[in-house]
Amino acid sequence: MKLVNRKASLQVNQNEGLIFEKSSSGKAAWKLPPLDVPDVDMSTLLGEAERKDLGNMPEVSEIEIIRHFTRLSTWNYAIDLGMYPLGSCTMKYNPRVNEAVARVEGIANGHPYQPEKISQGALQILKTLSECLIEITGMDAITMQPAAGAHGEMTGLLMVRAFHHAQGRPRKKVLIPDSAHGTNPATAAMVAYSVENLKSDSRGMVDIAALEAQMNEDVAALMLTNPNTLGVFEQEIHKIADILHAKGGLLYMDGANMNALVGKVRPGDFGVDVMHLNLHKTFSTPHGGGGPGSGPVAIKKKLEPFLPTPVLVAKPDGTLGFEYNRPQSVGRVRAFYGNFGMFVRALAYIQANGPDGLRQTTEDAVLNANYIRKGLEGTYDLPYSTPTMHEVVFSDKLQAKKGVRTMDIAKRLIDYGFHPYTTAFPLIVSGALMIEPTESESVEEMDLFIEAMKSIAEEVEENPQTVLDAPHSTRVSRLDETAAARKPVLRWKPA
Amino acid sequence: MLKAIGLRSIDDLFAPIPAEYRLTRDLKVPRQMAESEIVDYFRQRSRENGEGYTSFLGAGAYAHYRPVIIDSLISRGEFLTAYTPYQAEISQGTLQSIFEFQTMISELTGMEVANASMYDGSTAAAEAVMMAVRLTGRRSVVVARSLHPEYREVLATYATHQGMPLSTVGFNENGQVNLAELEKSITSETACVLIQSPNFFGTIEDVVAVAEIAHKHGAMLVVSIAEAVSLGIIEPPRQADVIAMEAQSFGVPLGFGGPYCGVIATREKFVRQMPGRLAGQTVDKQGRRGFVLTLATREQHIRREKATSNICTNQALVALMVNIFMTVYGKVGLKELAKQNLAKTAYAATRFAQHGQVLFGGSPRFNEFVMVTSEDPYAINGRLLGHKVVGGLPLKKFYPELGNAALWCCTELTTRGAIDTAVGLVAESERSVRSGKEESDVAEVAR
């Protein structure tokens, strides 16, 4: 390592096999109370439906389970260990009070079908959070049902479809900028819209002339991420909205990057008709190794009749309840009411921040991204000089001359004690390094990151092989992904 | 920091946003609260939310005991605050855990492979159907009316714009899929038959017979499992081509409906049409065993509009809860746990049958049963609520043809005392209705 590594040191960690390899007959970590009703004869009750054998399920003791998962956990990097600068993922601190309140008895154990009369607590949480999110986005109504961002996109586009259908002029396609997340085109396909690519201009923004040329009565919507995946605010957003609306199209906003806007500007005010939020990004609910998320969809009034059922309403007696009879609804997108546990956490986050805190969060997130941009400009190529919001995108152009690509730099960053940034995305930047620090990082942590990135750049010049072979300090070195895909081994089998 | 960047004020950072859109006032959200106030707020909401009630509700969300080590382990920051394990070298913990999850789900369902999770049982069922549509090249779908009604609604939403005609097949007097009707509903255009077992009424389906009919016509069989604990004592639907499961019963809190944990399991030969993430085993440069996310060419971040699904974020942390639960109970415990569910429900069904009419007794059931009463179950439930008991789910909304029917559920947590109390209250109300007495003190509940 070029410099002394100030962020991390090597430490022994425990080896651990698969749980099945520790199993032996007779070990147990469970105990049931004595049965207080008459025992039953399984074969009489079930006949041929009775299961005789549970195959290779493990038998292990409690301490073995604790050690097993604790050992596995130590092989993970996490926000709790340090900066996790994945672009467009918003890896911010996950407050522990969120976890505490999500586990309060009546909240954790409420049954989705318990009578509304004894569900007022949960419904009040749903209502308060809905109101907060409507205010934050500047929209008119919201559905909390979608389970994640992509699910929200689908719900949003279903409403777009239903809207055009109700107008008596169904449309065929959606426009999607070339910088968009892969979920956008995949979602469009799921609701049977064809996808038309929209190119970006030299500033990394929507090419207004191209949009004007491509916009017509066949276009249902434009799916726009704002700030986009370059971390650039679409400065001509008013023109974009006008061009769409003039031809009867709708503006869909992917809210993945809402962490750049909360408290500073509201999508509803700049012409957005429908948008989803990611509570697991902007509103601090934990990513949990890939989920659960929550993808509420906020809409303008004209889309309200199409909201998924049920819709939360205040009843004449002042209590809250669900309304199911909505003839124009797109239908249900999920059983029950959504990932309620995430609503609890998101509301706790909003309460812990208040109006001032939410605004400052956004300011700090943007400030941090600009600090990193300033710190690494010159060391890494900055393909777009347009002002940066909450994330900054560099390219590996300078390092590629030595045969080192963004993924190699990312892997080397692991040795310096950081999680890599997002690699090779957005697609419009060749060899992208997409960095989003979030508001959670202190200047000290960011200085360490900048120092590590600069040190790697020097290594690329002096000893590129070190970087190409990275990581050097992990339990396993680079894994053979090609072999994994060619001959998939997707489960353990006894030898 | 501003100085380092070369700016004078924070406002300069927001200059790219056109001035007319910048928010110049405070957001109208609750004022900033102290941690103690936040905790207090949610404790109050909790008290308004069924705290302290004994419940007989199931219907796709089941109250099972959650071993305490689940929360202590998933609270480790390295699991809780990690992202999707794309950077395999520093995500081996999550990846190995997913690999174990996939293995155990495969073992329990009798399938060859399982994915890393879907949003929930309802969306898993819809995605499993779309998978069958891709695999067969056919488009229409036959759905059992005894599939969870909300799962049917979700499927209808997903199918609307996919050009997938749905038809429904009813149930017979045993509560099982009507095989004669099924035979008639399948055509050469049927991609798959979708059933649930145990079905929405708790009845165990004759999967062998359903599979035979589906396969005879070249259609696939998709089986939805909403009560995972049933797998401990009920033979899994091994004849299915795809299983779409809700694993909430395995250690996931009821949480007013979510987050839960959907899963899709299938045969190896179908894996390339499977949606969702998959962890696979491989080796590193030194030949050491390790795990990676694999077969990503099915997924949206690679394939964009040609992906098998748009799913990205899944239910990883909930899948970890499920994984720990399955590990705790294991080969023997799951069976014993399932047996207790069966015994409690058998006892309850027998006791209730003395006062109401318990339907579908001709076929085996797991931990739910349907009871028809003389009185409207909403009215009965209104009275039970006064005794801090939540009665079975009235089925009028979903199955008007069943009249005054309600779906009751017992798990290992339902005590004999609670069952006896509920039976007593139902008996009392049935007697009073039969004797034609006027009821004036009944507080109708909303649903």
Side-chain angles (χ1 to χ4, degrees):
Chain A
M1 217 162 278
K2 179 79 183 154
L3 292 172
V4 176
N5 190 345
R6 294 205 291 136
K7 175 82 186 339
S9 309
L10 281 175
Q11 186 193 2
V12 166
N13 62 40
Q14 306 282 320
N15 294 331
E16 179 71 5
L18 290 162
I19 196 76
F20 313 102
E21 296 161 350
K22 316 186 77 160
S23 171
S24 62
S25 177
K27 289 198 276 191
W30 56 276
K31 174 85 189 150
L32 289 164
L35 193 60
D36 61 357
V37 297
D39 207 350
V40 286
D41 180 56
M42 294 299 143
S43 61
T44 313
L45 278 183
L46 297 175
E48 286 189 358
E50 185 191 354
R51 182 176 203 163
K52 301 282 195 248
D53 183 58
L54 269 65
N56 295 300
M57 293 297 285
E59 290 175 84
V60 282
S61 69
E62 185 168 314
I63 178 67
E64 285 176 301
I65 298 172
I66 290 284
R67 284 197 181 140
H68 178 71
F69 288 101
T70 303
R71 287 171 182 172
L72 294 192
S73 77
T74 64
W75 305 347
N76 276 358
Y77 190 85
I79 299 171
D80 282 2
L81 289 170
M83 180 167 160
Y84 210 127
L86 282 173
S88 279
C89 298
T90 314
M91 299 298 285
K92 63 169 67 181
Y93 171 57
N94 306 137
R96 291 315 197 265
V97 65
N98 296 1
E99 299 305 311
V101 295
R103 284 171 172 80
V104 177
E105 169 74 18
I107 288 169
N109 297 335
H111 191 286
Y113 287 149
Q114 69 193 18
E116 284 172 357
K117 190 177 158 188
I118 59 164
S119 300
Q120 292 300 305
L123 297 177
Q124 191 60 53
I125 290 167
L126 205 52
K127 178 170 180 276
T128 308
L129 179 63
S130 296
E131 286 167 355
C132 289
L133 296 179
I134 286 169
E135 162 70 3
I136 288 167
T137 55
M139 306 295 277
D140 299 322
I142 197 163
T143 174
M144 302 298 296
Q145 210 176 94
H151 203 211
E153 290 174 28
M154 187 191 87
T155 308
L157 281 194
L158 284 171
M159 284 191 267
V160 167
R161 227 181 204 295
F163 169 80
H164 289 304
H165 185 79
Q167 306 270 307
R169 23 162 216 191
R171 297 176 175 221
K172 297 194 186 96
K173 59 188 176 190
V174 294
L175 300 179
I176 298 179
D178 48 14
S179 58
H181 297 119
T183 50
N184 292 176
T187 301
M190 275 186 95
V191 299
Y193 275 131
S194 64
V195 173
E196 194 169 300
N197 216 20
L198 187 64
K199 68 179 174 59
S200 305
D201 67 13
S202 59
R203 297 170 304 165
M205 298 190 226
V206 167
D207 187 322
I208 300 291
L211 174 64
E212 211 137 17
Q214 284 173 261
M215 184 62 207
N216 57 45
E217 315 271 316
D218 271 347
V219 175
L222 164 66
M223 290 183 91
L224 188 72
T225 308
N226 192 23
N228 66 24
T229 55
L230 291 168
V232 169
F233 189 87
E234 296 284 352
Q235 293 178 22
E236 294 181 290
I237 187 70
H238 54 293
K239 276 195 205 157
I240 295 173
D242 287 349
I243 293 168
L244 275 153
H245 292 151
K247 296 249 167 82
L250 297 176
L251 180 55
Y252 183 101
M253 189 176 114
D254 181 327
N257 293 339
M258 194 65 197
N259 210 43
L261 307 182
V262 175
K264 301 297 287 187
V265 57
R266 308 190 313 162
D269 294 339
F270 58 67
V272 169
D273 300 298
V274 46
M275 67 176 293
H276 78 265
L277 294 162
N278 300 75
L279 299 188
H280 49 296
K281 293 181 179 178
T282 317
F283 296 94
S284 85
T285 76
H287 278 78
S294 176
V297 177
I299 52 164
K300 287 281 173 64
K301 193 137 201 95
K302 61 187 167 197
L303 291 167
E304 211 173 340
F306 313 111
L307 282 170
T309 49
V311 171
L312 185 69
V313 291
K315 306 214 155 171
D317 65 357
T319 62
L320 298 170
F322 285 113
E323 187 183 69
Y324 290 82
N325 182 20
R326 297 180 63 90
Q328 287 188 285
S329 165
V330 296
R332 247 181 201 289
V333 296
R334 187 198 182 284
F336 313 123
Y337 325 110
N339 281 347
F340 179 78
M342 302 299 114
F343 309 160
V344 173
R345 291 169 174 86
L347 181 57
Y349 169 84
I350 290 170
Q351 291 172 337
N353 277 286
D356 293 336
L358 288 175
R359 182 172 45 233
Q360 194 192 335
T361 290
T362 303
E363 290 172 350
D364 288 352
V366 175
L367 180 63
N368 281 356
N370 278 279
Y371 185 76
I372 283 176
R373 171 172 162 161
K374 187 76 184 174
L376 292 178
E377 219 177 330
T379 309
Y380 291 89
D381 171 62
L382 187 71
Y384 293 95
S385 59
T386 322
T388 286
M389 298 291 290
H390 69 301
E391 66 191 1
V392 56
V393 177
F394 292 99
S395 93
D396 61 12
K397 194 169 149 192
L398 303 175
Q399 290 70 31
K401 290 177 195 156
K402 294 277 184 180
V404 175
R405 303 306 311 261
T406 176
M407 186 58 94
D408 305 313
I409 300 163
K411 295 295 187 196
R412 184 61 176 147
L413 200 47
I414 293 171
D415 289 328
Y416 282 85
F418 287 97
H419 192 280
Y421 45 77
T422 297
T423 57
F425 188 84
L427 303 177
I428 56 169
V429 173
S430 167
L433 292 68
M434 186 195 210
I435 303 169
E436 179 183 5
T438 82
E439 71 279 7
S440 304
E441 300 313 325
S442 64
V443 71
E444 290 78 16
E445 184 82 357
M446 288 191 295
D447 283 341
L448 287 173
F449 177 77
I450 291 166
E451 182 179 297
M453 289 295 288
K454 284 185 165 168
S455 175
I456 295 169
E458 283 174 39
E459 287 176 333
V460 171
E461 293 304 315
E462 289 161 21
N463 184 12
Q465 201 56 41
T466 309
V467 181
L468 290 169
D469 292 338
H472 301 278
S473 57
T474 45
R475 295 187 55 79
V476 288
S477 56
R478 284 197 210 187
L479 290 149
D480 191 343
E481 296 192 5
T482 316
R486 199 183 305 127
K487 217 169 169 282
V489 178
L490 304 172
R491 62 177 289 188
W492 175 84
K493 279 183 189 146
Chain B
M1 280 171 73
L2 278 171
K3 204 190 281 171
I5 301 168
L7 293 176
R8 269 189 314 237
S9 81
I10 286 283
D11 287 341
D12 295 350
L13 289 170
F14 292 86
I17 299 174
E20 68 262 42
Y21 299 127
R22 271 178 250 162
L23 198 64
T24 50
R25 60 164 175 87
D26 279 353
L27 285 169
K28 292 179 198 123
V29 297
R31 68 160 173 85
Q32 190 175 37
M33 287 158 69
E35 185 172 301
S36 56
E37 291 178 298
I38 296 169
V39 170
D40 192 48
Y41 171 86
F42 285 100
R43 282 203 182 126
Q44 282 183 40
R45 300 291 82 73
S46 170
R47 283 192 282 274
E48 302 158 2
N49 213 56
E51 227 184 62
Y53 283 76
T54 301
S55 167
F56 288 89
L57 290 171
Y62 301 94
H64 292 288
Y65 181 69
R66 303 179 64 237
V68 295
I69 69 168
I70 293 177
D71 274 357
S72 57
L73 287 170
I74 69 150
S75 298
R76 286 194 63 95
E78 300 93 327
F79 286 130
L80 184 76
T81 75
Y83 191 66
T84 306
Y86 289 126
Q87 296 291 344
E89 298 89 343
I90 44 171
S91 308
Q92 284 300 301
T94 297
L95 285 161
Q96 182 171 325
S97 152
I98 297 172
F99 187 79
E100 293 174 353
F101 172 86
Q102 290 173 185
T103 304
M104 282 192 257
I105 295 289
S106 302
E107 289 290 338
L108 286 176
T109 55
M111 290 285 112
E112 290 166 350
V113 291
N115 69 6
S117 73
M118 304 297 289
Y119 304 137
D120 76 331
S122 69
T123 57
E127 292 260 20
V129 164
M130 287 160 68
M131 188 178 153
V133 166
R134 290 192 295 274
L135 283 164
T136 56
R138 301 174 175 190
R139 300 211 73 84
S140 69
V141 181
V142 177
V143 186
R145 191 162 158 72
S146 47
L147 173 71
H148 194 301
E150 293 196 2
Y151 288 22
R152 279 188 277 135
E153 288 177 43
V154 172
L155 176 63
T157 305
Y158 273 67
T160 313
H161 304 295
Q162 294 285 326
M164 287 163 37
L166 304 179
S167 60
T168 307
V169 55
F171 46 89
N172 62 26
E173 66 284 359
N174 283 343
Q176 292 175 320
V177 167
N178 185 324
L179 296 177
E181 204 185 317
L182 176 68
E183 181 84 55
K184 273 186 259 168
S185 347
I186 304 185
T187 70
S188 58
E189 270 311 295
T190 305
C192 68
V193 174
L194 169 61
I195 66 166
Q196 179 183 331
S197 186
N199 68 22
F200 188 67
F201 308 128
T203 301
I204 296 152
E205 292 285 358
D206 186 349
V207 178
V208 177
V210 174
E212 202 179 298
I213 295 171
H215 291 156
K216 191 170 69 188
H217 295 276
M220 299 181 97
L221 173 61
V222 179
V223 178
S224 162
I225 301 173
E227 172 45 299
V229 167
S230 68
L231 290 168
I233 194 69
I234 310 293
E235 182 62 10
R238 297 180 202 274
Q239 298 76 15
D241 301 287
V242 190
I243 291 177
M245 190 164 128
E246 170 55 73
Q248 177 270 328
S249 281
F250 285 169
V252 183
L254 284 169
F256 205 60
Y260 289 174
C261 181
V263 197
I264 290 182
T266 188
R267 307 196 180 286
E268 230 160 72
K269 60 184 175 190
F270 302 141
V271 74
R272 283 173 202 274
Q273 285 302 330
M274 180 138 96
R277 293 180 187 137
L278 285 164
Q281 185 179 311
T282 188
V283 289
D284 75 354
K285 285 185 194 167
Q286 284 74 38
R288 290 174 292 210
R289 177 170 70 183
F291 303 91
V292 292
L293 289 178
T294 192
L295 299 179
T297 50
R298 299 164 300 115
E299 294 184 69
Q300 49 76 28
H301 62 284
I302 308 287
R303 205 43 101 66
R304 299 177 80 87
E305 64 266 30
K306 294 188 180 65
T308 53
S309 165
N310 69 339
I311 191 169
C312 179
T313 291
N314 60 14
Q315 301 291 115
L317 196 72
V318 191
L320 179 61
M321 293 185 202
V322 171
N323 191 12
I324 297 167
F325 182 96
M326 293 189 291
T327 308
V328 167
Y329 281 97
K331 191 178 172 74
V332 181
L334 270 180
K335 187 170 188 165
E336 294 303 316
L337 173 67
K339 276 163 121 177
Q340 283 214 352
N341 277 258
L342 202 70
K344 302 262 189 178
T345 308
Y347 173 76
T350 309
R351 292 285 330 265
F352 275 115
Q354 295 161 2
H355 309 284
Q357 184 198 356
V358 173
L359 300 183
F360 311 137
S363 48
R365 65 168 72 95
F366 182 56
N367 65 358
E368 287 168 285
F369 59 91
V370 176
M371 177 173 57
V372 180
T373 45
S374 323
E375 196 185 3
D376 185 336
Y378 283 111
I380 295 179
N381 282 356
R383 203 172 296 109
L384 292 182
L385 269 190
H387 297 268
K388 291 239 159 191
V389 174
V390 180
L393 176 73
L395 293 181
K396 248 174 214 172
K397 189 171 87 176
F398 299 132
Y399 300 93
E401 71 270 31
L402 293 180
N404 282 339
L407 179 66
W408 293 70
C409 174
C410 298
T411 71
E412 78 281 5
L413 292 177
T414 316
T415 61
R416 180 181 191 144
I419 295 169
D420 292 345
T421 303
V423 168
L425 291 165
V426 168
E428 201 179 299
S429 101
E430 287 295 279
R431 267 196 305 273
S432 65
V433 171
R434 285 189 196 128
S435 67
K437 232 172 67 184
E438 274 302 306
E439 296 287 330
S440 56
D441 57 343
V442 176
E444 278 267 344
V445 285
R447 61 182 166 90

